[in-house]
Amino acid sequence: EEHQRICEPVQFASNAIGSHGLGLGLPNVKSALSQMGGTILLSSEIGDGTIVKIEIPLVAKEGIKTSNSMYSILIIEDDELLCGNMALILQLEGYKVRSAQDGLSGLAMIRDKLPDLILCDILMPGMDGHILLETIRKDPNLADIYFVFVTALSDHILMHRVMHAGADDFLTKPFSNADLLGTVASHLNKLKTVRSQRSVEPVASQD
């Protein structure tokens, strides 16, 4: 029974030390796995910790979009647990996902291979999200990449400022699987439309 409750949002283990909840990580993973026909199994012993076992079928459940594999997403987030959860959820939907822990390493990965979409935290050590966005928008080779801030900040004035600085959108923590996937799909659909329009643009006459 305790294991079942752990996979519910913000639950407290009965034998936990302190008052910290279990957060949204496992519930998000469980929800993503269920869409793929997968399962999550937990086993634990007092004093030895908990083992989490994830099973994913080799053949994806009917309805999963294999076309998502044409899109690459870069997650820049210094919270390793959140970063890993986001990556897993997106990978289960078929997206190609890379991740970085800070702005500097994220920028290096962007320049090494352009992603289609960037999901980026704001408050990070070293180069924060604001500086990274400014750097990207000033570089003509990077300026068109879709950029979404992922942040716990809810100040509307601040959000207006970051949008004015060139962000395409923002996702407020904590968010659900549906929020994450909906935001990603929305911007990648825009990208798909832009690419389709470019492919049918008439070639200029040479006369």
Side-chain angles (χ1 to χ4, degrees):
E1 182 182 354
E2 189 75 44
H3 287 166
Q4 293 177 351
R5 292 179 63 249
I6 286 175
C7 288
E8 298 175 4
V10 198
Q11 291 294 331
F12 294 83
S14 60
N15 62 345
I17 299 175
S19 59
H20 294 291
L22 298 173
L24 295 173
L26 283 176
N28 281 345
V29 172
K30 181 182 178 183
S31 176
L33 285 170
S34 67
Q35 297 176 42
M36 295 289 293
T39 58
I40 181 169
L41 305 172
L42 295 93
S43 62
S44 60
E45 293 289 340
I46 296 177
D48 291 335
T50 300
I51 297 175
V52 180
K53 182 179 180 181
I54 293 174
E55 296 181 348
I56 304 173
L58 291 177
V59 179
K61 233 176 131 180
E62 184 178 354
I64 298 299
K65 298 180 180 179
T66 56
S67 61
N68 288 343
S69 62
M70 72 176 66
Y71 297 111
S72 64
I73 300 172
L74 177 62
I75 301 171
I76 306 175
E77 168 65 63
D78 62 344
D79 184 326
E80 292 186 21
L81 179 58
L82 175 59
C83 185
N85 288 337
M86 291 172 63
L88 177 60
I89 292 165
L90 294 170
Q91 287 168 342
L92 289 174
E93 287 293 312
Y95 296 109
K96 296 177 181 177
V97 182
R98 295 179 295 158
S99 62
Q101 300 298 312
D102 57 69
L104 282 175
S105 58
L107 182 60
M109 294 180 73
I110 293 167
R111 286 174 170 162
D112 179 62
K113 185 176 182 181
L114 296 183
D116 296 307
L117 174 67
I118 298 170
L119 300 172
C120 183
D121 190 14
I122 291 182
L123 302 178
M124 296 181 292
M127 177 183 284
D128 65 18
H130 294 296
I131 298 175
L132 176 62
L133 175 61
E134 182 181 359
T135 303
I136 289 173
R137 292 302 185 234
K138 288 181 177 180
D139 188 329
N141 295 318
L142 310 178
D144 293 334
I145 301 174
Y146 285 93
F147 193 106
V148 176
F149 273 128
V150 181
T151 178
L153 301 176
S154 57
D155 187 316
H156 293 294
I157 295 177
L158 175 62
M159 289 300 98
H160 178 76
R161 182 165 66 87
V162 300
M163 295 295 289
H164 183 71
D168 294 290
D169 204 348
F170 64 91
L171 190 59
T172 304
K173 306 173 188 175
F175 48 84
S176 66
N177 290 2
D179 293 332
L180 173 62
L181 295 175
T183 298
V184 167
S186 173
H187 292 288
L188 292 180
N189 284 336
K190 293 177 185 177
L191 176 61
K192 181 179 180 180
T193 300
V194 170
R195 287 176 174 173
S196 297
Q197 291 173 343
R198 288 175 179 172
S199 66
V200 297
E201 287 180 354
V203 178
S205 173
Q206 302 297 317
D207 296 339

